[in-house]
Amino acid sequence: RRVATLYNMMEQGAPMDKPTLTCRGVFVIGPDKALRMQVLYPASTGRDFAEIIRVIDSLQRTAVHKVATPVNWRPGKDVMVLPSVSDEEAATMFEKVQVTEVPSGKKYLRQTPDPAGPVVASAKKKDECTIS
């Protein structure tokens, strides 16, 4: 309880003098020992392990390649080329770069296939998925 209180993991409004459930915390720490992600779920809510794995996949790609993963991204789907990468550099780093036109005329929305390659997933049972 002392550690949970120190890290503010007790349910909001929980009385301090009575037993209570702690929030469920997920912390992803990088090889450099820096916190890369933290999520606190209320005690009444289960964790979404598929989302946790998706975030870890994204963190691994963006640590190695000069890309970002867009909203609702899944492994094997297109990623975004970072705005800090010039068009010339992108052409040498990635096999294919697609530019999305925007009203300002700037070329900062650039997609490229996932540099980690396609992912093959197979469902064995409902709600169970293996990725290879």
Side-chain angles (χ1 to χ4, degrees), residues 2-12 23 40:
R2 185 174 66 82
V3 171
T5 303
L6 283 172
Y7 287 97
N8 198 26
M9 294 173 63
M10 302 304 287
E11 280 208 270
Q12 197 169 25
C23 295
L40 289 178

Side-chain angles (χ1 to χ4, degrees), residues 90-117:
T92 62
M93 294 173 73
F94 306 107
E95 189 175 314
K96 176 185 169 191
V97 177
Q98 178 184 340
V99 179
T100 301
E101 295 289 328
V102 294
S104 68
K106 294 182 180 180
K107 295 182 179 182
Y108 67 91
L109 285 179
R110 301 172 294 169
Q111 298 90 11
T112 190
D114 186 344

